[in-house]
């Protein structure tokens, strides 16, 4: 006898719900969809203007200045992202140990994990507005601090997960030699996790480059601030130049960072693990 | 098994030379840190000296205007709607882009290389740049925000999905080839079923990101609650900002939890 | 000297690990503990350095009470008791020398151990230990690049560098092939004799127990059911310890 077809009710319900949600969103959002038709033409025009700026002789008239300004501010964004990552790394390293269930007592683990989750749920933007603005004012420093605090959540979580997945043998061996707890961590745990953790830092740096641009628009300086000003004044040639600078520098830094990450992890027998996307 | 008796004659090895990659790497990292710290004029002094200056702001922050959160309800709805539409459109496009950007499914090496390059350029621009661009192109409002987020989502979802496709079990692919299927049939019947759970979970992940990102894009005129935040920020209404920030945190957290619960069931 | 007086161990999940063990192991003896898995061999060995806490009874190592010892006291006891593990428990990513230096941690100031700058004397001890086990040429190699037998010899060097009077070995050859297993045990026995170690080894294989032990202790259900010389431990005795007739699995080499 042929079996009856299994129920697909759940699947159908899922599709229906999804479709309704989408339709509802399309109706509710006041997007003035008609303008979608005009968008290609507008983008084509602006694209042309941007290309003009990019393709103009970069040594002609004001153009060397334009390229230099974009590049300098991109560098400032990189600096902001780097300092933010360093702050995040320094703060998250001890917190990672405190959040690892094979290291810290359960009560501490629970508490620290909640703090890390909380930080992870808050966008950098909010740290910038809520924490940095009142005290530091707007500027690259505030941006770096916001990025730093914002990075602690993910980095702390990843570090604690790396620590929890270590081979417990060396820790037991270190303990059986009568070593002090600090020495047990230093010799039994740190050598096992350090390459992975440093790779996480670099990965976070790549993400923080984008975040620093966002904070820039808010007024934290760097390439984001420039971009916001240029768009306000609709200087399309300079926008084109700035976008090219962002893309080239970001792609280069990404490639470099990825190469270093692979190099760091390759000495390791475990495969080059990229952090799960869900936590980044 | 005589190694134990010959021990005393084996010379001790010379210590390996300095590990230049390691030493150099650490030195460069330190130098970059110093250079960057000087570049952004890093100091923690304001933390001690300027807390007084910030007192007025902090006082306002600690007295949030909760009623305002509800008054801007339409903006919240708009943010959610933007996120839903942008996630759906972005993820549908991402599936196609991922098929082109994976060695397994791409119709040729040239297409594969090209698709990968385009995706890495798409990803290199921050969400806020797309926001500025599309708002300039189609005017302020939700449409620009949606278009910006679609590109943002495309970059992320396509990369993750392409990596998943790279790792599929080649067995069913061979079976599809052996059955005489063409490239599209193979992608639909042999590849997609294998990646479907991961793909859906990436889509949900992108949706989570979109709640956050749509706020960012709202700041530059892309509609939704971000617009409201930007306006209140320029009016220095920290009491309202505080309420909005807390509410935003709650919304982001709730959506994260929801999406995580669904994703856990998917994978 | 190690003395157990009516030592009992109950694990948090209620499992009885040791059930009233009375034993005296004099200095310099090479003792092999045999029994089925779950008989309490591992528990017995691990109580000696406090890795498994004693529930009741009295356990002394060289005059120090292990039961009820505080953290500082426990570290002092562990400094005098070296341990070798079934899975070697080396830091795979670290060099052989760094692994051996772990044996010196009990006598290294914290700042030195955290910064990783060992004293010259400790390096000398580590090198001497590696020479004794015959793999000094691998000192700067990563532990992960060594074979299983070599890794276990690094672990033995770690114990030698620790300069402990008591050496515990918990199934030290269970992960090794027969020739390597024999060599590791031979090394352990030889070095124990040279340095005057009191050695307690858990073994699963009867023939090896007979070949290397000065004294064999048989365990069953957490209690000592046999205690005598290797000659006294014939097949009948083993059948009693194992509670069943012997099979080919119980010996390593016929």
């Amino acid at each position: 006898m042929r079996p009856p077809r299994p129920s697909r009710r759940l699947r159908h319900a899922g599709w229906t719900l999804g479709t309704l949600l989408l339709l509802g969103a399309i109706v509710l959002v006041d997007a003035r969809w008609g303008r979608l038709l005009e968008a290609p033409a507008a983008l084509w025009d602006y694209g042309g203007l941007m290309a003009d700026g990019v393709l103009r002789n970069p040594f002609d008239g004001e153009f060397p200045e334009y390229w230099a300004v974009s590049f300098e501010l991109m560098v400032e964004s990189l600096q902001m992202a780097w300092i933010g990552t360093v702050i995040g790394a320094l703060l998250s390293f001890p917190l990672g140990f405190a959040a690892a269930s094979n290291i810290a007592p359960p009560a501490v683990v629970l508490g620290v994990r909640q703090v890390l989750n909380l930080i992870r749920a808050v966008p950098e933007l909010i740290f910038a507005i809520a924490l940095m603005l009142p005290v530091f004012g707007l500027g690259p420093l505030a941006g770096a601090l916001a990025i730093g605090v914002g990075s602690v959540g993910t980095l702390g979580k990843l570090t604690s997960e790396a620590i929890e997945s270590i081979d417990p043998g060396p820790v037991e061996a270190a303990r059986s030699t009568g070593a002090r707890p600090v020495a047990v961590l230093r010799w039994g745990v740190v050598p096992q996790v350090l390459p992975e953790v440093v790779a996480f830092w670099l990965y976070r740096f790549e993400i923080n480059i984008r975040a620093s641009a966002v904070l820039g628009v808010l007024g934290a300086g760097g390439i984001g601030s420039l971009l916001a000003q240029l768009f306000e004044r609709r200087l399309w040639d300079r926008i084109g130049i700035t976008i090219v600078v962002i893309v080239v520098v970001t792609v280069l830094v990404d490639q470099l960072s990825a190469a270093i990450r692979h190099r760091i992890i390759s000495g390791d027998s475990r495969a080059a693990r990229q952090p799960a996307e869900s936590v980044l | 098994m005589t190694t134990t008796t010959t021990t005393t004659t084996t010379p001790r090895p010379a210590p390996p030379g300095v590990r230049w990659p390691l030493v150099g790497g650490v030195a460069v990292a330190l130098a970059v840190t110093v250079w960057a710290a000087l570049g952004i004029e890093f100091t923690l002094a304001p933390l001690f000296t300027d807390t007084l200056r910030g007192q007025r702001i902090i006082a306002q922050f600690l007295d949030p205007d909760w009623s305002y959160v509800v008054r801007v309800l339409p903006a919240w709805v708009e943010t959610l709607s933007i996120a839903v539409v942008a996630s759906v459109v972005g993820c549908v496009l991402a599936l196609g882009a991922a098929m082109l950007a994976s060695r397994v499914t791409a119709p040729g090496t040239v297409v594969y290389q090209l698709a990968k390059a385009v995706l890495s350029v798409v990803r290199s621009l921050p969400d806020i740049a797309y926001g500025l661009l599309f708002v300039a192109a189609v005017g302020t409002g939700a449409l620009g925000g949606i278009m910006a987020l679609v590109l943002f989502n495309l970059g992320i979802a396509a990369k993750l999905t392409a990596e998943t496709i790279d790792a599929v079990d080649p067995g069913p692919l061979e079976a599809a080839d052996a059955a005489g299927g063409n490239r599209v049939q193979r992608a639909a019947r042999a590849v997609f079923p294998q990646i479907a759970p991961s793909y859906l979970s990436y889509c949900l992940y992108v949706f989570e990101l979109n709640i956050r990102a749509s706020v960012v894009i709202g700041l530059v005129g892309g509609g939704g609650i971000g617009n409201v935040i930007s306006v209140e920020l320029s009016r220095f209404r920290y009491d309202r900002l505080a309420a909005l920030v807390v509410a935003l945190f709650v919304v982001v957290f709730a959506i994260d939890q929801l999406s995580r619960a669904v994703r856990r069931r998917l994978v | 000297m190690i003395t157990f007086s009516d030592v009992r161990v109950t694990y948090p999940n209620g499992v009885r690990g040791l059930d009233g063990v009375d034993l005296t192991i004099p200095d310099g003896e090479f003792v092999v503990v045999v029994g089925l898995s779950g008989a309490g061999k591992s528990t017995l060995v691990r109580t000696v350095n406090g890795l498994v806490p004693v529930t009741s009874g009295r356990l002394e190592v060289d005059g120090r009470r292990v039961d009820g010892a505080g953290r500082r006291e426990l570290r002092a006891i562990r400094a005098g008791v070296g341990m070798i593990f079934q899975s070697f428990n080396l830091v795979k990513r670290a060099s052989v020398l760094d692994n051996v230096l772990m044996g010196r941690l009990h006598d290294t100031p914290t700042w030195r151990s955290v910064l990783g700058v060992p004293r010259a004397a400790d390096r000398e001890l580590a090198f001497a230990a590696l020479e004794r086990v015959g793999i000094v040429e691998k000192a700067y190699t990563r532990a992960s690049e060594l074979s299983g037998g070599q890794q276990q010899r690094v672990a033995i060097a770690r114990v030698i560098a620790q300069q402990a009077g008591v050496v515990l070995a918990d199934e030290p050859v269970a992960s090794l092939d027969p020739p390597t297993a024999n060599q590791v045990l031979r090394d352990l026995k030889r070095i124990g004799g040279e340095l005057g170690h009191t050695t307690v080894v858990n073994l699963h294989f009867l023939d090896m127990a007979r070949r290397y032990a000065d004294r064999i202790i048989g365990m069953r259900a957490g209690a000592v059911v046999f205690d005598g010389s290797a000659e006294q431990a014939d097949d009948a005795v083993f059948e009693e310890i194992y509670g069943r007739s012997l099979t080919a699995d119980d010996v390593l080499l016929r």
Side-chain angles (χ1 to χ4, degrees), chain C residues 188-224:
Chain C
L188 212 51
K189 173 110 185 183
R190 171 181 61 83
I191 291 162
E194 286 168 8
L195 300 177
H197 287 157
T198 310
T199 313
V200 184
V201 185
N202 280 342
L203 284 182
H204 184 78
F205 301 111
L206 313 177
D207 50 340
M208 301 191 91
R210 275 197 204 119
R211 190 175 309 159
Y212 297 103
D214 297 333
R215 173 181 171 191
I216 289 180
I217 290 171
M219 296 202 64
R220 199 171 146 188
V224 174

Side-chain angles (χ1 to χ4, degrees), chain C residues 109-149:
Chain C
T110 300
W111 72 269
R112 275 188 185 276
S113 62
V114 169
L115 295 181
V117 280
R119 279 188 289 240
D122 289 337
R123 281 174 67 88
E124 177 54 35
L125 278 171
F127 266 114
L130 282 171
E131 277 163 353
R132 206 178 270 279
V133 295
I135 48 171
V136 71
E137 74 278 7
K138 301 281 189 197
Y140 295 104
T141 311
R142 270 192 190 207
S144 58
E145 288 166 25
L146 303 187
S147 70

Side-chain angles (χ1 to χ4, degrees), chain A residues 7 24 56 63-64 88 98 147 151 179 181 190 216 223 233 236 244 253 263 267:
Chain A
S7 166
R56 274 283 272 288
F63 280 82
I147 289 173
S151 308
V190 172
I223 200 77
R233 289 151 60 191
W236 288 104
V244 168
V253 173
R263 174 70 186 76

Side-chain angles (χ1 to χ4, degrees), chain B residues 54-118:
Chain B
Q55 233 166 27
R56 188 184 58 83
I57 300 176
I58 291 168
Q60 278 196 39
F61 244 106
L62 294 180
D63 183 23
D65 178 6
W66 296 115
S67 66
Y68 193 68
V69 174
V70 189
R71 258 200 284 157
V72 292
L73 193 65
W76 291 106
V77 174
E78 189 170 52
T79 288
L80 285 175
S81 304
I82 291 174
V84 169
V85 177
S87 311
V88 172
V89 178
C91 286
V92 170
L93 294 180
L95 186 60
M99 293 283 183
L100 295 180
S102 164
R103 226 182 268 278
V104 177
T105 42
T109 323
V110 179
V111 175
Y112 159 75
Q113 300 279 9
L114 197 71
K116 269 196 94 120
V118 168

